[in-house]
Amino acid sequence: MNHNKVIRASTEESLMIIRQSLKHDEMDRLEGTHFYGQIPHIFITLGASGDLAKKKIYPTLWWLFRDNLLPKPTTFFGYARSNLTLEDLRNRCHPYMKLKPGEEQKYEEFWKLNHYQSGPYDSEKSFMDLNNELMKYENGADANRLFYLALPPSVFEEVTVHIRNTCMGKKGWSRIIIEKPFGRDSSTSQRLSDHLASLFKEEQLYRIDHYLGKEMVQNLMTLRFGNRVFNPTWNRDNIASIQITFKEPFGTQGRGGYFDEFGIIRDVMQNHLLQILSLVAMEKPASCCPNDIRNEKVKVLKCIKPVELKDVVLGQYVGDPDSDDPEARMGYLDDPTVPPNSTTPTFAVAVLKINNERWDGVPFILKCGKALNERKAEVRVQYLDVPGDIFDGKAKRNELVIRVQPGEALYIKMMTKTPGITFDMEETELDLTYGKRYKNIKLPDAYERLILDVFCGSQMHFVRSDELSEAWRIFTPLLHRIEKEKIPPIPYKYKSRGPKEADEMAGKNNFVYYGSYKWSDHH
């Protein structure tokens, strides 16, 4: 533990020395690896009384502050319509802050740096008042401002106009963090992008997709481009299919009304899963600079044709009357907040094809759903059968599995001779389970990493506007058709694997599910 402190301290000191000795233009080359520690920063959360703020944003700011990862001084400002005191806000956030014994004094310091102001979102005067408050904590200095827009889409446009007109930092930079939904389809997303582009430069905008902050998603770059052993096989000559899965074991939990507006494709597939696909499939970028990486992600998305209904399976969960769990006896349509007869899918499988030299003919199977049998997010790269089989068909396919959650892991399923006198074979794995290999390391939460990236000015793990418009191009025709024709989803039981048609679709697309492999107990 002390050793870590020493390392962190020496890193901070050396960064400080570098900062002091470099000119501004040289600093720009270090983009994304530093922040100016001597300048006041103000972090403003708009929508501070909402769910996202209390469950994610405030806890994340506290953890970053606790671990001395933020520039000093940083002041925190909350703004929302709710008429709260700072004490009320603190009490709302407290259950999510994960306070440990011995941290009480630091926790008090954190809340002393917090302020809260209530006001409407549609009044320019209220934002001028907010700006006057912010200026008190800047003391006329060069100060940087970060705005986190944890707001419903209905107030988004007017709030961004008020920020632009009244609240931008006078001397330092201003950066805007935006939460999804980024529109509902191509046209609404384009309207939002055009609106934002009329107010801010692209380098001021941080469209947050928290999946891009997850350890194993960030590891995809290193895995692919830092290892000779994977890269030469990463193509159509070796890979049969790639499945990207996101499963949740619970239903809409009373938030069905909100979910029903969007559905599972907008909620998970068009953003999280497509982002992972672009990192799995992109070509090697010219460098690790954020824009070089984002250029390659856009390029690979441009090679994907819009998804057609024939390549999709849609499902909606129904209650399981035999379950002991009262929640599992409730189907999606039993949620009182869901409109009766809703055809919104809570499960989807879509097969995408990438029309380029590397991936021609390789199916990318995206699968996501609620009320399924387990919680899991993973990438499963399934290799082709071994040519010239001498083992009478006993050899099963190799798979490289990158598990994003729960419990980060990377393992390769492979065939080996069963130990002993007979010449049998069995499946086993080469295994890198993070909980075992990196026992004492606490992995940062996705939001911690991403918010710190905004302080540092690194846009690598944020979504660029052209990337967003390609993602909507791929899914918009399908979404419009589902809604216009009210395509009926296939019912599947709560806590099941989803509709059996989904497994059939994967099978038709060169994915073999053996069901024989057991992830061993020692994990």
Side-chain angles (χ1 to χ4, degrees), residues 226-240:
N227 291 297
R228 182 66 192 230
V229 66
F230 299 126
N231 211 21
T233 63
W234 213 257
N235 54 43
R236 62 195 293 270
D237 302 328
N238 298 286
I239 290 174

Side-chain angles (χ1 to χ4, degrees), residues 63-297:
W63 300 329
L64 290 170
F65 176 79
R66 176 197 66 195
D67 295 340
N68 299 319
L69 292 172
L70 295 178
K72 292 182 178 58
T74 297
T75 309
F76 308 96
F77 246 89
Y79 181 94
R81 285 182 288 216
S82 309
N83 195 5
L84 303 174
T85 63
L86 183 63
E87 193 60 29
D88 297 334
L89 181 69
R90 176 176 171 160
N91 292 338
R92 280 186 181 200
C93 297
H94 189 74
Y96 305 97
M97 303 297 256
K98 296 183 187 166
L99 194 62
K100 296 193 188 86
E103 292 177 346
E104 294 80 6
Q105 189 186 340
K106 190 94 180 174
Y107 191 60
E108 292 305 320
E109 280 173 39
F110 171 72
W111 282 108
K112 280 202 181 82
L113 294 166
N114 269 275
H115 308 274
Y116 178 80
Q117 188 166 331
S118 69
Y121 292 129
D122 56 0
S123 145
E124 184 165 285
K125 176 170 185 323
S126 298
F127 278 83
M128 289 164 97
D129 294 344
L130 173 64
N131 185 54
N132 290 335
E133 282 300 308
L134 299 178
M135 284 167 72
K136 286 181 194 167
Y137 296 94
E138 293 176 338
N139 279 340
D142 294 351
N144 298 326
R145 293 182 181 183
L146 299 84
F147 295 88
Y148 198 125
L149 273 52
L151 297 168
S154 53
V155 298
F156 198 86
E157 291 196 5
E158 56 198 6
V159 168
T160 43
V161 168
H162 293 324
I163 290 174
R164 182 73 192 86
N165 291 342
T166 63
C167 285
M168 300 294 276
K170 297 291 178 282
K171 295 186 178 173
W173 45 251
S174 297
R175 291 175 183 158
I176 318 289
I177 308 171
I178 302 162
E179 270 282 345
K180 68 170 194 161
F182 312 122
R184 287 182 54 78
D185 56 15
S186 286
S187 59
T188 51
S189 170
Q190 194 56 51
R191 201 183 98 195
L192 180 61
S193 288
D194 292 345
H195 169 77
L196 289 168
S198 71
L199 302 173
F200 309 106
K201 298 189 182 113
E202 182 65 37
E203 59 264 29
Q204 292 175 304
L205 295 170
Y206 289 74
R207 293 175 195 81
I208 199 165
D209 179 338
H210 74 275
Y211 248 70
L212 293 179
K214 292 195 177 286
E215 180 72 29
M216 295 312 285
V217 176
Q218 299 206 332
N219 197 8
L220 275 165
M221 285 274 299
T222 311
L223 257 181
R224 287 194 53 198
F225 304 119
N227 291 297
R228 182 66 192 230
V229 66
F230 299 126
N231 211 21
T233 63
W234 213 257
N235 54 43
R236 62 195 293 270
D237 302 328
N238 298 286
I239 290 174
S241 59
I242 294 180
Q243 187 165 285
I244 303 172
T245 306
F246 176 96
K247 294 163 86 170
E248 286 181 327
F250 47 83
T252 48
Q253 298 179 318
R255 292 184 71 237
Y258 170 80
F259 178 85
D260 202 76
E261 283 180 54
F262 297 97
I264 197 77
I265 294 176
R266 287 188 182 92
D267 199 40
V268 178
M269 190 178 279
Q270 178 273 342
N271 40 55
H272 303 336
L273 298 193
L274 201 61
Q275 282 293 335
I276 294 175
L277 177 145
S278 62
L279 287 165
V280 169
M282 71 183 192
E283 296 299 316
K284 191 183 210 168
S287 77
C288 282
C289 282
N291 269 335
D292 287 340
I293 292 166
R294 299 201 295 179
N295 290 345
E296 292 304 336
K297 286 167 75 182

Side-chain angles (χ1 to χ4, degrees), residues 35 47 56 60 97-98 124 165 174 181 200 205 252 289 299 329 380 386 433 448 471 482 521:
F35 43 68
K56 288 287 181 197
T60 301
M97 303 297 256
K98 296 183 187 166
E124 184 165 285
N165 291 342
S174 297
F200 309 106
L205 295 170
T252 48
C289 282
K299 250 184 238 173
R329 292 199 288 269
R380 194 168 283 265
V386 173
T433 299
E448 280 185 84
I482 291 170
D521 292 339

